[in-house]
Amino acid sequence: MKDKNVTQQVFRTFIDRMKHTYPDNDLDEAELFRRLESIHSVTIGHAEILDDAEEDHIDWFNTSTGEGLKRKINWHFWPHYSGYLTNRKFWPEKLVQSIDQLSSQILSRLEDPERIGPWYTRGMVMGSIQSGKTANYTALITKAVDAGYKLVIVLAGMHNSLRSQTQVRLNEEFVGYDIDKVQKLTGDEKKIGVRTMFEKHNPVFTLTSSNETGDFNKSIAVRVGVFPDKNGAPIILIIKKNVSILRNVIKWIESFPGQTDAKDIPLLLIDDECDFASINTKEPERDENEKIIKEWDPTETNKQIRKILKNFEKKAYVGYTATPYANVFIPNDDIHLLYGDDLFPKNFIIALPQPSNYLGPERVFGLDCDPDQDIESVEPLPLVRIVNDQSDQIPDGHKKGLMVDQLPDSLKRALKCFLLSCAARRLRSEGVPHNSMLVHVTRFTDVQSQIAALIEKELNGLVSRIMSKDELPDFRGIWETDFIPTSTQMMDLGFSDVKTHEWHQIEESLGIVAPVVRVKTINGTVRDVLDYKEAEMAADHRKRMGEVVAWEDKGLSVIAVGGDKLSRGLTLEGLSVTYYLRASRLYDTLMQMGRWFGYRGGYSDLCRIFTTDELISWYRHIAMATQELREEIEYMSILKLTPSEFGLKIRSHPGRLAVTSAGKSRSKQKMSISYAHRISETILFDPRHSEINLRALESLIRGIGRKPDVPPEETHGYQWKGVSANTILTFLDTYRTPEFFARFVDPKRIAAYIEKQNSNNELVEWDVVIISKGNGSSKYNKPSIVFVAGYGIKCVTRKPVAQITHAKITIKRLVSPSDEALDLSDDEKAKALEFDRRHDKSVKGGLPSGEAIRNIRPKERGLLLIYLLTGEGPDYGTYGGVGQEIIGWAISFPESQTAQPIDYWVNPIYQKEDGHYT
């Protein structure tokens, strides 16, 4: 169904179509109607993109039309995949359209696989935990192969379970068969997924299977004799990030027969969880010219990935992650003679949007208010339960020899909550038919095994009580004092999928769901697997044999006890209850352990997270840091900056947390950031605010109430000294900025800072300079002199960096470097130049640096610079002039010892540019 005009009649038509398509299925029309309304209320934003179109890139794909600019693409795999999502997985068309648009934006930033000569694209896609990154890169793969990429390698994590899970998805949605499912007697392939929908699904070769041991094997690959061919079928390998596997792939590449030249085969390498294992964590050894010496080797996994890429001349590397902290700390200019460039995403960084129905850390755990950063508080959802009784049985910092003889009472309660959730989900029969509980309390496998055994014993006792039809006052108490109030709260918060159930319904349902729950230990020493797909296939087989299969029998109900294997990429289907104690001091590790983030359509109110007070506070902090990171990318996207210009800052934790491991972040540096010693400048304007802002400037000039103190010919403008702080505050209160940009340069937030510093006798007097440069003529055929309060102000030229619209004009930088020194006396200027000399800073044109200016400016004084703007871009249009007045301003703040800074970790680019994008 199209996103527009999705009416109730459209829902009814769709339901009628489903009834005729699946006549054997009993459809609850009222329930399906309600679910469709819920699904189509979901909103999906747009991606934020940093790219470098000039970095050896040739435009070849039109994202608006979905076609090549100079050639027609024979679409095959993409329409099959999108059709499978729509008609088999019943994804709303709005969501499929979003995946289509986002994957096309990524594809357009790769090179045309038919482009002649060598090329190499590196990019990164930032999603959210459990938010649909696999669906995005599956779409990218199908489109890339349709366009002509012949070899696809997917690096799918570090563990067999995750690699296998990824293979299952791609087999169903792209390949259409599994080499492990080949019928032994006939040798015919067993069709699955897209191949069951589309009889003429083109062949795809794969040398890996969904079996836990189905990773790449060189000897088998050579024996099969399948190699990439420019005119042949595509090949896909889904492999672990394991050094021996990577080496075997390299040997296979080097064994291509004579007619196959790897250098001429277009390669797409997808690096899932690209912040994990792929990062070089070793400090390079350098020569006297700061070049990396040939004999030095990076970490082994990083080296092998780069060696795979080195074998090809036509290649694209796209990393996917929800925690890109380590990736943006990769030095962007580390080149090795043998292995080439490191994996810094030099060509593009794309932040995928979060759909409105996504439950992320900021919604689950909430956000603390931070008015200085324009972050409003967010109340947590009522789904988290505090654990404070675990230390006797499972103490913090325990060793691998810990003996556990009983479960904490909180874990016993969590088990009951899981059974209650399963019972309620059976009554609703919505969403995926699986039920999962995650227990993650230790990284030691021996301790995990003890916990699993105790859980199994406790579960058996609970099931016996339930099946004996005894009274269940403990279960009833939890249902009526916890679940019903929580569901009511979630309903009040606007969650339309919430239902309430009476205790007698839950009690009856418990007897059906409890006996089928299994306990599985998921680690490297136990062979248990989360066989969700096998459960679905078994249910489908029973249905084909004529059985009526109840909803609760279509999936798997499992309590998964584990550690590292549950922490990265692995999806726990139908996850409703989590018991999580394992503390990590790294942002990225903590976020990746949060398997409970994601989509919980139909049962969001039944979810529970049992964890400690400390972990709750840590997740709240990381949620704020992650939100700021996304806003940084959004801000840089507006400025049209490239990844190589991306000065990134990530909020530091005041206590024990680190952003990522020391090896991954060896190039980062801590920096304290506040308005003090900074310059804030407007670079985004809404033309609809022009009249209001013009009046604000007129009021400022009249409020000063006297002629300029410095003649225009001396300052290239009108300058007043000793202006009161109240006059500045009035201007800031009146001036309007676009709502979006206020998150970065907010006049009201800046005014609040000035008032706070006034109480410390700082920023009490101001220099105000209205810049008026030029000769009064305009190459844009627009009047360039605007009269305000009797003063003729010459407009300054600033080129737009994006398409001008009725609501937005964007420039890259407002302030000319020389303008920031206009308030300095000769003595202050000399001190600033001396500051630069002492700190070995280069001085251009006899002007001190911005850092020096702000360092020596008296803390009592601030500088307000005001500009009237005009400009023209070759492709963006013109703006400014009389009747279209665009007024920008900047404030240069002096150093302050009383301002309360926020600590951030910054990457080398931010360090180099001091946070300014010039």
Side-chain angles (χ1 to χ4, degrees), residues 320-438:
Y320 279 77
T321 182
T323 50
Y325 314 120
N327 301 82
V328 294
F329 288 133
I330 298 173
N332 65 331
D333 54 1
D334 272 1
I335 302 175
H336 194 286
L337 288 174
L338 295 179
Y339 314 123
D341 292 318
D342 207 342
L343 301 178
F344 179 82
K346 69 181 179 71
N347 295 96
F348 62 84
I349 297 174
I350 296 178
L352 299 178
Q354 289 183 353
S356 59
N357 63 335
Y358 174 76
L359 297 184
E362 67 283 351
R363 296 193 74 189
V364 174
F365 293 103
L367 285 177
D368 293 320
C369 175
D370 187 346
D372 288 338
Q373 297 301 309
D374 198 31
I375 293 177
E376 296 181 1
S377 63
V378 175
E379 289 299 314
L381 294 176
L383 306 176
V384 182
R385 303 294 179 264
I386 295 174
V387 174
N388 54 22
D389 65 344
Q390 81 287 0
S391 57
D392 288 340
Q393 288 81 31
I394 313 170
D396 293 343
H398 62 263
K399 306 299 182 184
K400 65 179 180 180
L402 176 70
M403 301 301 294
V404 184
D405 56 7
Q406 63 177 333
L407 300 177
D409 288 342
S410 55
L411 181 46
K412 294 178 182 179
R413 183 181 177 92
L415 291 172
K416 295 173 185 176
C417 286
F418 178 59
L419 295 178
L420 288 166
S421 175
C422 292
R425 292 205 63 211
R426 175 188 167 272
L427 295 174
R428 298 181 185 184
S429 298
E430 293 181 13
V432 296
H434 308 291
N435 293 288
S436 297
M437 175 177 177
L438 167 63

Side-chain angles (χ1 to χ4, degrees), residues 793-808:
I793 302 172
K794 298 173 184 176
C795 296
V796 299
T797 301
R798 297 291 184 266
K799 289 183 179 179
V801 295
Q803 187 66 49
I804 294 170
T805 72
H806 76 286
K808 187 169 70 174

Side-chain angles (χ1 to χ4, degrees), residues 31-261:
E31 179 57 27
L32 182 55
F33 185 90
R34 189 182 69 81
R35 290 296 298 137
L36 285 170
E37 279 196 311
S38 174
I39 288 170
H40 284 271
S41 67
V42 174
T43 57
I44 303 167
H46 62 277
E48 301 299 338
I49 302 173
L50 308 181
D51 63 7
D52 193 346
E54 298 179 0
E55 182 67 31
D56 189 33
H57 176 68
I58 298 176
D59 284 338
W60 68 283
F61 184 79
N62 187 331
T63 58
S64 298
T65 64
E67 286 294 343
L69 294 174
K70 295 183 179 179
R71 65 180 179 93
K72 181 174 176 57
I73 297 173
N74 294 317
W75 296 112
H76 174 84
F77 291 105
W78 161 246
H80 284 192
Y81 174 51
S82 60
Y84 181 76
L85 293 179
T86 302
N87 297 307
R88 281 291 175 85
K89 300 186 79 171
F90 302 110
W91 286 25
E93 196 159 333
K94 181 194 297 184
L95 181 56
V96 177
Q97 288 171 349
S98 173
I99 291 172
D100 183 9
Q101 294 164 0
L102 294 169
S103 57
S104 286
Q105 288 179 325
I106 301 169
L107 180 70
S108 71
R109 286 162 173 82
L110 309 186
E111 292 306 307
D112 184 349
E114 296 187 0
R115 175 180 164 182
I116 304 300
W119 41 263
Y120 182 12
T121 302
R122 294 196 309 275
M124 183 180 73
V125 180
M126 175 186 174
S128 302
I129 302 292
Q130 301 283 285
S131 66
K133 296 186 296 298
T134 305
N136 182 277
Y137 71 65
T138 301
L140 176 62
I141 288 169
T142 62
K143 291 182 176 182
V145 168
D146 281 338
Y149 281 83
K150 291 301 181 182
L151 177 60
V152 178
I153 298 175
V154 179
L155 305 180
M158 293 283 288
H159 299 292
N160 285 328
S161 53
L162 177 55
R163 192 213 64 81
S164 174
Q165 188 180 80
T166 305
Q167 181 95 41
V168 167
R169 282 279 298 271
L170 287 166
N171 282 348
E172 285 189 346
E173 299 171 351
F174 172 52
V175 178
Y177 68 90
D178 190 321
I179 60 175
D180 263 0
K181 306 291 190 298
V182 171
Q183 296 176 2
K184 302 298 185 198
L185 295 179
T186 65
D188 294 336
E189 65 183 33
K190 182 176 181 181
K191 298 176 181 179
I192 61 174
V194 288
R195 201 172 290 268
T196 63
M197 281 189 64
F198 302 98
E199 286 294 326
K200 295 183 179 180
H201 189 73
N202 285 346
V204 179
F205 295 130
T206 181
L207 298 172
T208 55
S209 79
S210 63
N211 193 291
E212 284 265 329
T213 59
D215 210 334
F216 182 84
N217 183 299
K218 175 182 175 291
S219 60
I220 293 176
V222 172
R223 190 161 63 247
V224 171
V226 173
F227 298 100
D229 185 330
K230 286 189 294 183
N231 300 311
I235 297 176
I236 185 168
L237 310 178
I238 296 102
I239 64 176
K240 293 193 304 293
K241 277 188 267 194
N242 173 282
V243 171
S244 62
I245 297 293
L246 294 168
R247 285 174 177 160
N248 281 336
V249 171
I250 293 169
K251 290 176 183 176
W252 173 69
I253 293 169
E254 293 172 346
S255 73
F256 287 176
Q259 69 270 22
T260 300
D261 186 355

